[in-house]
Structures are given as C-alpha cells and as structure tokens.
Amino acid sequence: MALSIINSFASWFLKQRIHQIELFLKYPNEVQEELLMNLLRSSEYTIVGKKYEYASIRSYRTFSERVPISTYEDLEPLIEQTRKGEQNVFWSTPIKWFAKSSGTTNAKSKFIPVSNEALEDCHYKGSKDLLCLYLNNNENSELFTGKSLRLGGSKQIYQDNNTFFGDLSAILIENMPIWAEYSSTPSNKVSLMSEWETKIAAIINETKNENVTSFAGVPSWMLVLMNKVLDETGKGNLLEVWPNLEVYFHGGVSFDPYREQYQKILPKKDFKYYEIYNASEGFFAIQDQNDSNDLLLMLDYGIFYEFIPMDTFGTLNQKTIRLSEVALNKNYAIVITTNSGLWRYMIGDTVRFTSLNPYRIRVTGRTKHHINVFGEELMVENTDQAIAKTCQITQAEVVDYTVAPIFMVDKEKGAHEWVIEFKKEPADIATFQKVLDEMLQAANSDYEAKRYNNMTLNPLILNVARPNLFYDWLKNQDKLGGQHKIPRLSNQRDYLEQLLDMQICIK
C-alpha cells in the first residue's frame, strides 16, 4: 500500500512538467532565441564575453558572425585555466566539476566543464523529463513500486586544484538528490566501483533480490550484465529474476543491432524501450512516444542548438544554420552553446530530423565515424540498420562490429572491410556477407552507386572475430564498461588493424 502511494505521488509530481514541455513545443524557435540571449547576458563579463563583446550582441546573426565555431582543442586552454582554479573565464558562475571523457576514439582525455546550472537545469532535468514523458504515456505504470537498475561508467572522483574531475556518471551520483538514490540500485558505493569485472559481480550480488522495475544504461554493456545475471541465477529470462520489469531506458549506442537479443531475454509483449540522447556536454533529446524511436529535442535545458549540413561539413563552403532552418532527413553535425560555457562547440555527433513540428531527431553517427573514402558517405545509422536486418534474415546475433576502408592500390578497386563478432553465427557466412552488402545498398544510395557493377567498390570483406575480441581490445585500451564504445566506422584502418592483430582465427 505504501509503495502504491509513493508511486502515485511520484507520477503526479513528475507529470507537472508536461505543461512546460508544451510551451517549447508550441514556441520552439522563440524559446531557443530567448535562451541564447540569456546565455549571452549572463556571460558578458567573463573573459570570453569581453573578448567577443557579448554585451553588444542582440541577434543570432551577430552572434554567428562574431563567435567562432570551436572544438575541444580550441577551448582546451580556457578549460585548463578553470581547472587550475581561475573562474569567470567562459561562464559566470563557479565551475568546480569536469566530466572526464575520452570519447569513442581519442586516447587523450577531455575535461568537459559541468556547471551547477548544467547539473540542475540540464542533466537532472533531463532525467526527470524522461520519467515524466514515460509516465504520461503509460498511465498504469508502477515504476516507483520498485527500483531502477542503473549501469554507469562511474569511476572515483579526483580532486585537483580545488576542482574535481571524473566520469560524468560519478559526478551525477555525487550530486544526485536523495530521492533518486533511494529509487536506484545498486548502491552508490557499488555504482562508483572502477574495476569493471569486480563491479559486475557486485552489482549482481546486490540487485538480484531487489524489486527491479526498470533498467538504465548503454545497450552493449547492459546486455553483458543481463547475460551474466542469467548465468548466475540459472534463470531462462530476466522476468524470472525480476517479474515487475516494465521499461529499459537506454542510450549511448544504437539499439538496433541488439533489439532481438533483448526481446529474447525480456519476453514480455508490453515491455517498453525508451531511448535518450545525452553526453558529458549535456542532455539533448528523449523518446517521447511508446512506439517510435524518434527523439524529441529538448529546447529549454540551457542549450542553444546550431547545425552544420554534412554535405558542406569540413569544406570551404561549410555553413551553420539555426534550428528554424533545418530540413527533414538531412544529416547535420550538431553545434551547441551551453550553460556550462561551451560556446558554439562541435560535439562530434550527427543527427537527422524526422519531424519539424515538433522537432524530433535520430542520431546518425559521429562526424569522425563515417566512411567517405570513395564518395559513399556511409553513416553509422546505415550500418546499424543493415546489420539488424541481415541478422533478422540470417538468424544471426551480433556482439559488436567495426568497419574500415580497403584503399585503392594501383588498378585495384577499393572495398569496405568488416570485423564482426557474433553471439550466434549465421549458418553460412558467405550468405550473411552477401545479404549485408545488399542491405547496405538498400540503406545508402551513394554506397549502392559505388557498388553498381563493382564500378568503384568491390564486395565487402568480412572477418569473423574470435569470441571476446572486442572486449579484449577495450580492456587493452582501459575502456571496459560504462560509456565506452567500439568505433563503428573510420576513414582510416587503425582500429581495424589493431583488432586483426589481436585476432586468433579469421574466417
């Protein structure tokens, strides 16, 4: 009875936010313009604000002409100043927290500033809005009669010059409100453990007897945990361990290659999957419908959005547009200005808009993670989609994959080379290879044109990875667990060659 009352109150409380969401749905561009002006006004007297004379900027046009597009490398000297204790550099309120991130590929760590405003008005607000939208769509939810099993990449917080840095998950846990801690499992102590394999054992031990109603984490790593839970308990599926499960909140990598594997271990017809799009730099979008993978772009989190069309990205003709100018079904690189002082910052992700009223998106990949050596413009969204369909057709299951080009030498044509690790191999690898190539052509017309009659590209090459190859590669890189991801696509062969060097048997 008490849990039922708590569930009802929590649902009522969270759904109060719906009216504010409706405001930016109705006036999206006005909300964004006002937000930009507020960010500028609040930072007029910072070092950056004085340099670019924020006090005199009164329009987006002036802002875009005066303030340059930036990468982490551009902002690093200013971030280092703040890490050493100097304040009022690029943001007006004190910044004590920095999310340490190496992204998907960089060996060099990045230290992303996280202001108190970003914690409260972006990251935590996004988490609450996720629950709000889910509960608004599912009136009979009993989410709060149990706990959410969270799987983050938390590591210990390090203190340095009176500032603190660590994994974003650790920062969020360190600062989270009490109610969030009570509704989550495992404990903060276990969540913050750094050694992945020890941590997994501790999570299973602490959560297997809890009443878990939801999951939250990256699909690839969560699947590792779930399979280990089944091994540990000897159960056939997760509903035998946690009968009240109702939703999995996921993000970080595409869910498509893993969907069928999840449906096997969560055999409940009305089980829900809700996707989010967040990063160290901010919380950006949330799935707002039960039966759609499109993500609603959240416009009142202290983040002003701009977009670079990928057909001009990195060229002399590169142009940047604001939200009101985007078009449907085009790939854009995202540029953000945030309430942590990231000004016109390229986060490295690409998206396409699936709806303009309201603004809904799908994440299509990374600006550095595509293959365009031969003009094929292959995006991660294309390969994820092709892998998922090929697995359906051939009854295969994939653990992970990566793709790189085979460059043209002399008169030899180019090709794409794949390394795929299977959980369940197809009956015939040659058939899988042929179907995958066909699905790629169906997903991407540029790839199809280059493959026509083997004119530019030969058929793809497929290497079957030995078991645990990708896991071992990540372990060697000290990137087990949490937010770490396999680089899906690359214009270079570095990652693929490293994997092949670690390979024992190649089919």
Side-chain angles (χ1 to χ4, degrees), residues 100-112:
K100 184 180 179 183
S101 168
S102 60
T104 313
T105 58
N106 289 345
K108 183 180 179 183
S109 294
K110 298 179 181 179
F111 295 89
I112 306 298

Side-chain angles (χ1 to χ4, degrees), residues 290-303:
N290 278 344
D291 303 315
S292 170
N293 297 326
D294 298 345
L295 307 180
L296 181 68
L297 193 62
M298 306 304 284
L299 302 178
D300 63 348
Y301 286 3
I303 299 173

Side-chain angles (χ1 to χ4, degrees), residues 17-32 34 288 296-300 323-324 356-360:
R17 164 75 172 142
I18 284 292
H19 303 297
Q20 292 172 303
I21 292 174
E22 288 171 348
L23 181 66
F24 77 68
L25 291 177
K26 190 173 183 180
Y27 304 105
N29 301 311
E30 292 84 349
V31 166
Q32 278 280 283
E34 182 182 354
D288 66 319
L296 181 68
L297 193 62
M298 306 304 284
L299 302 178
D300 63 348
L323 185 63
S324 59
L356 301 182
N357 184 25
Y359 288 105
R360 291 195 181 102

